[in-house]
Amino acid sequence: MEQTPTPLTRQVAARIVGYIRETAAEPGTRLVERTLAAHLRVSRSPVRAALRLLADEGVVAVAEPGGGHTVARPVTELTVETGDEDEEQYLRIASDRLDGELPDRVSESELARRYALTPAQVTAVLRRISGEGWIERLPGYGWEFQPMLTSQESYEDSYRFRLALEPAALLEPGFAVDHAAIEFVRAQQLELAEGAAHTVSNTELFARNRAFHEAVVACSHNTFFIDSLRRVDNLRRLIEYRRTLPRDRAAVRCREHVDIADLLLAGRTADAAEYLRRHLSTVSVEKTASSG
């Protein structure tokens, strides 16, 4: 069964595209997992997942014989981020869905008419929404939105669930720090704490923070913890776009992420679990109080 790419996979994929652009790699250039992992400072597992995602999107191709991947498209055709107009349309659809303005099932033609989109724009925004897990294609025709958190009560419940789950994940018997993955998300959080939190979009801020928490819980190697957090993150995505903290507070919370990562990298797992518990408790109060 096909799985929705994790935020870490999407971010590594974007960085691989950036690497291809920076090195001006021509179509047919072989992409070596080990080299990419070393350049991006991540383990080979997220690189492998990111390459599969890029292969699905036609950015890279499977090399034959011997497997591996090669660059499939010219550098001039590659993009890393969506443009402002695409982001605006995406957020309009997200807002309307959150407000109950869109039905559970929609067609591409309906979206095109409602938002004055070209067929290419509809395809792009549906690909993005589908990749994020809040809409699915129906057999034959049309699309169906997936359940999302919309009420204050359900939003508060999601934080209580995370407060029970995430610190406990760090205390699992099989917990082992993936140093490359934690260093990667730590670097992202440090960038946010040192100023980027004031300039990135709400969607990017959510994606980076989600990637941090999921990377930490992934170290538990407990699939039930990992899958449960991913599911609740998918459910809370839209409501988080509206309930983002003031950016000065967001920067403080990103600095706390850096501190948690430092504790994990130093082998102080129990301290990291307690810090994470305090962090989630404080953030949940700030988020729910500011949006009530």
Side-chain angles (χ1 to χ4, degrees), residues 168-190:
L170 274 66
L171 303 179
E172 278 291 284
F175 188 90
V177 175
D178 181 338
H179 282 256
I182 296 302
E183 286 170 358
F184 176 78
V185 293
R186 180 194 184 279
Q188 287 193 322
Q189 292 298 314
L190 183 60

Side-chain angles (χ1 to χ4, degrees), residues 97 103-107 126 129 133-139 141-147:
R97 178 58 184 167
D104 290 342
R105 296 188 175 189
V106 294
S107 68
L126 284 173
I129 295 172
W134 51 284
I135 200 171
E136 288 186 358
R137 184 187 289 276
L138 291 168
Y141 180 78
W143 297 77
E144 183 174 46
F145 286 107
Q146 301 303 292

Side-chain angles (χ1 to χ4, degrees), residues 106-175:
V106 294
S107 68
E108 295 181 20
S109 59
E110 288 169 343
L111 291 175
R113 286 194 301 270
R114 183 183 182 97
Y115 299 102
L117 301 176
T118 66
Q121 287 175 318
V122 172
T123 299
V125 75
L126 284 173
R127 182 186 299 119
R128 175 177 178 181
I129 295 172
S130 176
E132 292 176 351
W134 51 284
I135 200 171
E136 288 186 358
R137 184 187 289 276
L138 291 168
Y141 180 78
W143 297 77
E144 183 174 46
F145 286 107
Q146 301 303 292
M148 305 295 291
L149 300 183
T150 57
S151 70
Q152 173 79 6
E153 182 179 2
S154 63
Y155 186 64
E156 293 175 358
D157 285 347
S158 75
Y159 266 99
R160 283 195 291 274
F161 175 78
R162 293 178 62 204
L163 188 57
L165 181 146
E166 294 189 40
L170 274 66
L171 303 179
E172 278 291 284
F175 188 90

Side-chain angles (χ1 to χ4, degrees), residues 18-35:
Y19 172 82
I20 294 171
R21 291 174 62 88
E22 291 167 8
T23 58
E26 297 290 337
T29 302
R30 185 175 290 273
L31 298 169
V32 180
E33 284 183 12
R34 182 175 60 255
T35 301

